[in-house]
């Protein structure tokens, strides 16, 4: 026989070997995951239901699906064993402790300032008009210097 006629059969047998090997590897990982289950562990079934493990027997698991509601499932129906933080986040809506970041820096320096330090007011205040007792003011004519200052204030 020619090697060219046997080549498709060899490739087919090799592909089948690789597919069965990966499937067995996935089954082994799933069995290890199910062996990690303990009473009190949060799980997700293959149907998408979240529950807490109460008892484990050889082929079945007793799950608490709601407070006081228990159901018996086959071990093979457990899709994932969840970490406590993930289970609480999904089922109870409890977020893990996160550090709170302030919106501004004022809370970071609140207790650091010395008590006797005088605070500076950065707000704008209206300047007070100087009192000029000139004869020119009484007549209604303003001096040239004062007119220039008024123009500068208007420009700002």
């Amino acid at each position: 026989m020619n090697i060219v006629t046997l080549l498709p059969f060899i490739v087919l047998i090799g592909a089948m070997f690789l597919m069965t090997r990966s499937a067995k590897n996935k089954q082994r990982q799933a069995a290890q995951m199910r062996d990690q289950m303990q009473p009190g562990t949060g799980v997700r079934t293959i149907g998408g239901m979240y529950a807490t493990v109460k008892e484990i027997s050889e082929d079945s698991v007793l799950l608490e699906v709601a407070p006081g509601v228990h159901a018996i499932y086959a071990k093979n129906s457990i899709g994932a064993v969840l970490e406590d933080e993930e289970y609480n986040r999904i089922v109870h809506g409890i977020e893990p402790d996160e550090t709170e970041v302030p919106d501004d820096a004022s809370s970071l320096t609140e207790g650091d300032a010395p008590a006797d330090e005088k605070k500076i007011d950065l707000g704008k205040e209206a300047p007070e008009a100087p009192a000029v007792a000139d004869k020119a003011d009484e007549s209604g004519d303003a001096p040239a210097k004062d007119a220039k200052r008024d123009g500068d204030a208007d420009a700002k």
Side-chain angles (χ1 to χ4, degrees):
M1 279 204 163
N2 194 357
I3 189 79
V4 176
T5 57
L6 291 177
L7 188 61
F9 293 112
I10 294 171
V11 170
L12 183 64
I13 291 171
M16 289 174 53
F17 173 74
L18 290 176
M19 286 190 296
T20 58
R21 183 174 168 215
S22 66
K24 285 188 180 207
N25 190 21
K26 287 181 184 179
Q27 286 177 351
R28 184 182 47 82
Q29 288 176 346
Q32 284 179 347
M33 181 250 330
R34 290 183 189 109
D35 289 338
Q36 292 175 353
M37 283 189 302
Q38 298 174 359
T41 306
V43 295
R44 181 183 64 234
T45 64
I46 57 174
M49 183 178 61
Y50 293 92
T52 305
V53 176
K54 287 298 174 182
E55 293 179 13
I56 301 171
S57 65
E58 195 169 318
D59 292 334
S60 62
V61 180
L62 179 66
L63 299 179
E64 184 177 33
V65 294
V69 179
H70 296 86
I72 298 174
Y73 280 81
K75 267 191 176 178
N76 292 339
S77 67
I78 304 300
V81 177
L82 305 173
E83 298 289 329
D84 288 337
E85 294 171 355
E86 183 180 6
Y87 180 75
N88 287 333
R89 181 183 58 81
I90 294 170
V91 175
H92 303 295
I94 300 172
E95 294 293 327
D97 293 337
E98 296 179 9
T99 56
E100 199 168 309
V101 179
D103 291 339
D104 59 354
S106 64
S107 65
L108 298 175
T109 59
E110 225 169 68
D112 296 342
D116 61 343
E117 187 177 313
K118 185 177 181 181
K119 294 190 177 195
I120 300 172
D121 184 23
L122 299 176
K124 292 185 178 182
E125 295 180 12
E128 295 181 18
V132 179
D134 281 338
K135 290 183 182 181
D137 284 343
E138 293 173 4
S139 65
D141 296 330
K145 281 196 263 182
D146 290 341
K148 184 176 180 184
R149 283 188 193 149
D150 288 339
D152 287 343
D154 290 340
K156 291 181 184 176

